[in-house]
Amino acid sequence: MIYGQSLWEAFQKQKLTRRNFVKTCIALTGAMGLSHNLLPEVIARAQERPLIPVIWMHGLECTGCSESFIRSKAPLASDVILKMISLEYDDTLSAASGMDLEHHREKIIKDYSGNYLLIAEGGVPLDHDGYTCTVGGIPYVDALKETGKSAAAVLEFGSCAAWGGIQAAKPNPTNVVSVSDVITNKPIVKVPGCPPIPEVMTGVVMHYILFGQLPPLDSAGRPKQFFGNRIHDTCYRRPFFDSGMFVERLDDAGSKAGWCLYKMGCRGPMTYNSCGNMRWWQGLSYPIQSGSPCIGCSSKGFWDNDPFFERLPNVVTPNTISNADQVGAIAAGATAVGIAVHAGANILRHKLSDDKDNQNRNSDGNNTTIGGDL
């Protein structure tokens, strides 16, 4: 356990240099979506603020959020786990298992009441007395309530924890709900996605670790720095949308040329996330870049918004018209108008140029006559 020591003290204990410490703080500042002007404050906090214990619990889910988390690049997930937090319980990443691990969770709850961070991954089933998801013979919903009661704050990782997830899809046979439907009296931040972007998860964790409070949240409880824009707003295919150039089939020429996937059912115009600017796997790619329309996996209830490859109803988007079919027509009309205006401007310019040349010739002739008379 490294609870009680700061990040700087953890670096010193492992004989890492001050230079490495500052480089880590720079990476954290960027990962948390903070201005570079706040770097001195991040360094000061990392020097002074003690690292806190973390309990990471799993409900009904596929462990995809953990798989995403361990692929974080800035900061590295290994640095977060081994140097920046005191991960005390995680039935996926912990070395211990079985009842020994469950007893340790109970000990952390008792010894650090009000001072540990609860990370919850997965939905919470309520029907059948919660026995459709048990850990150590205890229904997950009961263990979650017990752990959440003494937590300082709660992070909901993934759309399962944030909204209920795929297991909550109609008809939702086990009555799965979100974590915030069960824990209602604690500061909670939602980090939806199926899975979330790795650096979004590590960024939210480190924001709380360093500042002792949750990052600024939107009306849905999501961190603004990561969910403040729609994917449509940062999509590199947006110019094709504005120009009315759409993929009509996933194997047509437009698809190969990278045109807009809106007509293929892309949920980008209604989905808030950082996919377009942060991307997955250390910035390598994201679904739209790979040629697949966005299915809105960070949106509430996305699993029931099928079929995924069916075009959405007309979506109102800022600074554009709402009907995608009209975009092309208007773009074409604007192009035609532009050509006409350009042609008219050329004719006018040539006419003015000719008039000026004639005027110059007349002026030269008059000057010659006057000179001769003199």
Side-chain angles (χ1 to χ4, degrees):
M1 179 186 297
I2 59 176
Y3 176 68
Q5 69 182 24
S6 68
L7 180 59
W8 171 230
E9 290 169 338
F11 268 62
Q12 289 178 307
K13 186 176 181 179
Q14 297 185 42
K15 299 181 179 180
L16 297 173
T17 66
R18 177 75 178 179
R19 181 182 179 87
N20 288 332
F21 171 72
V22 173
K23 287 173 65 177
T24 298
C25 290
I26 293 173
L28 288 174
T29 303
M32 291 185 291
L34 302 176
S35 167
H36 67 276
N37 295 328
L38 293 177
L39 177 60
E41 184 175 354
V42 172
I43 294 176
R45 297 279 182 152
Q47 289 179 157
E48 302 168 359
R49 187 170 180 82
L51 305 179
I52 68 173
V54 173
I55 295 177
W56 190 322
M57 302 185 70
H58 296 255
L60 286 182
E61 41 88 33
C62 68
T63 319
C65 300
S66 292
E67 290 287 346
S68 179
F69 178 85
I70 63 177
R71 287 164 173 78
S72 175
K73 175 65 174 179
L76 289 170
S78 58
D79 286 340
V80 174
I81 295 173
L82 299 176
K83 303 172 187 174
M84 302 175 186
I85 64 174
S86 180
L87 184 60
E88 298 294 337
Y89 176 96
D90 186 325
D91 50 15
T92 299
L93 300 176
S94 295
S97 61
M99 295 311 300
D100 289 340
L101 183 59
E102 295 306 310
H103 291 156
H104 186 66
R105 177 179 62 85
E106 295 169 358
K107 185 177 186 302
I108 295 300
I109 293 174
K110 180 180 178 181
D111 293 348
Y112 300 100
S113 178
N115 292 310
Y116 61 85
L117 181 67
L118 171 59
I119 296 177
E121 179 180 346
V124 188
L126 301 182
D127 283 359
H128 313 293
D129 296 323
Y131 277 100
T132 52
C133 182
T134 62
V135 179
I138 302 174
Y140 175 64
V141 60
D142 295 338
L144 183 68
K145 288 179 179 178
E146 177 190 20
T147 309
K149 185 182 300 183
S150 300
V154 181
L155 305 184
E156 297 176 323
F157 275 178
S159 292
C160 294
W163 314 122
I166 293 174
Q167 50 278 337
K170 299 174 183 177
N172 194 0
T174 57
N175 189 22
V176 178
V177 298
S178 69
V179 171
S180 57
D181 288 326
V182 175
I183 302 175
T184 58
N185 59 344
K186 294 290 179 179
I188 296 180
V189 56
K190 293 180 180 292
V191 187
C194 194
I197 299 171
E199 289 75 17
V200 171
M201 291 189 281
T202 53
V204 172
V205 169
M206 290 313 304
H207 190 285
Y208 185 82
I209 296 299
L210 293 177
F211 296 99
Q213 61 185 9
L214 301 180
L217 306 178
D218 64 12
S219 59
R222 302 168 297 192
K224 289 181 179 179
Q225 63 260 51
F226 300 118
F227 295 90
N229 292 310
R230 299 170 307 161
I231 292 176
H232 188 65
D233 299 326
T234 58
C235 182
Y236 74 99
R237 297 183 188 235
R238 175 64 184 268
F240 292 108
F241 176 92
D242 294 337
S243 298
M245 302 167 71
F246 298 98
V247 174
E248 302 289 346
R249 298 190 321 275
L250 291 177
D251 62 347
D252 65 10
S255 178
K256 296 175 182 178
W259 291 4
C260 179
L261 294 163
Y262 174 74
K263 290 188 177 182
M264 293 293 97
C266 184
R267 266 68 170 168
M270 57 183 292
T271 302
Y272 289 81
N273 211 332
S274 294
C275 305
N277 51 347
M278 294 185 69
R279 310 186 184 190
W280 263 269
W281 319 137
Q282 303 172 22
L284 175 64
S285 186
Y286 71 114
I288 290 175
Q289 185 175 342
S290 69
S292 172
C294 168
I295 64 172
C297 74
S298 59
S299 300
K300 185 175 183 179
F302 82 91
W303 45 86
D304 285 327
N305 292 331
D306 59 337
F308 290 134
F309 294 96
E310 182 175 295
R311 173 181 167 175
L312 289 172
N314 294 320
V315 176
V316 177
T317 56
N319 302 320
T320 66
I321 59 173
S322 60
N323 190 320
D325 291 326
Q326 295 177 7
V327 173
I330 289 184
T335 301
V337 171
I339 292 173
V341 170
H342 180 71
N346 281 338
I347 293 173
L348 179 60
R349 184 169 62 253
H350 287 308
K351 184 177 187 304
L352 292 175
S353 178
D354 291 342
D355 291 344
K356 186 174 182 180
D357 289 341
N358 292 332
Q359 183 178 0
N360 289 336
R361 283 195 294 271
N362 292 334
S363 176
D364 291 341
N366 292 335
N367 289 339
T368 300
T369 302
I370 295 174
D373 291 341
L374 290 175

